[in-house]
Amino acid sequence: MTAEQIKEQLSNRFIGILAVNRGFLIDKPESDFGVDYQLKKTYTYQQPNGKQRHTVESRYIDIQLKATTENSIIDEPTQIKYDLEAKSYNDLVQRQENGTAPLILILFILPHDTNLWVDIDLFEVKLRKHAYWYQPPTGSTMTDNEQRIRITIPKSNVLGLNCFPDIYNQLYP
């Protein structure tokens, strides 16, 4: 596998672990039109016969997932700067104006040294380094750039154990 393929697969597994750990599912759409995953919240309800039924809410969040290394970002004290493909940025902006489901970007950042990406011992599995989520500020407009646009992601948007419930509640108040 190429380094790019490995980064992609590690980022896929990372968000899958975070999702399922808090009762969410991630589904991969059959066709990729700028959406890598759909994040769906699960819930349980009581049926008239007394049995519980597990299902998913009808509201979901679309996710664009990007994986990179720390030497491809600008790491500042309170924010991350990343050069995102213009077409991906325009998808995010367009969805804010015309979408029924929110679209967010998740940027998964691995160490520059590939030997530090994954570590395992008798007590834990470690996947390094960070992931952040991003949505363009309200009122953003599409870029005319043909290649890339620099985005700024607040470090407060770091993905942690409760990230998906928090993001879901923020986007669906």
Side-chain angles (χ1 to χ4, degrees):
M1 291 178 77
T2 68
E4 293 303 314
Q5 291 169 325
I6 294 169
K7 286 189 279 190
E8 179 182 353
Q9 291 304 314
L10 290 173
S11 65
N12 290 342
R13 299 315 178 261
F14 178 73
I15 66 164
I17 289 167
L18 289 179
V20 73
N21 191 50
R22 291 297 189 253
F24 285 79
L25 298 174
I26 56 169
D27 286 336
K28 190 152 186 72
E30 190 172 315
S31 299
D32 180 355
F33 290 105
V35 174
D36 295 308
Y37 288 102
Q38 291 180 329
L39 178 72
K40 299 176 180 179
K41 184 176 182 180
T42 64
Y43 70 97
T44 305
Y45 70 92
Q46 193 83 21
Q47 297 183 85
N49 64 7
K51 293 183 180 181
Q52 287 189 340
R53 174 90 171 126
H54 304 279
T55 190
V56 295
E57 285 195 8
S58 60
R59 300 179 300 179
Y60 59 91
I61 298 169
D62 284 336
I63 297 173
Q64 251 184 42
L65 184 59
K66 303 291 182 193
T68 192
T69 54
E70 59 193 353
N71 61 324
S72 297
I73 63 164
I74 299 170
D75 190 354
E76 296 180 346
T78 61
Q79 60 194 13
I80 299 292
K81 292 184 179 178
Y82 175 69
D83 292 336
L84 179 64
E85 291 173 286
K87 66 180 178 129
S88 296
Y89 177 81
N90 286 339
D91 288 347
L92 292 164
V93 171
Q94 193 278 337
R95 181 65 73 85
Q96 279 186 323
E97 298 171 1
N98 300 305
T100 56
L103 173 64
I104 64 170
L105 169 74
I106 293 180
L107 180 63
F108 185 67
I109 305 167
L110 291 153
H112 176 65
D113 182 351
T114 59
N115 295 313
L116 299 176
W117 288 2
V118 178
D119 192 16
I120 189 168
D121 61 34
L122 292 175
F123 302 102
E124 60 190 359
V125 176
K126 296 177 188 174
L127 178 59
R128 293 182 186 90
K129 178 162 180 182
H130 302 292
Y132 299 90
W133 71 278
Y134 171 81
Q135 201 177 30
T138 303
S140 296
T141 58
M142 288 198 241
T143 182
D144 291 331
N145 296 0
E146 293 186 21
Q147 298 299 317
R148 298 192 167 274
I149 182 171
R150 182 160 291 166
I151 62 170
T152 301
I153 306 171
K155 283 190 173 177
S156 59
N157 287 7
V158 66
L159 295 190
L161 288 178
N162 288 315
C163 64
F164 289 138
D166 292 346
I167 293 168
Y168 192 89
N169 290 335
Q170 183 176 338
L171 298 176
Y172 290 112

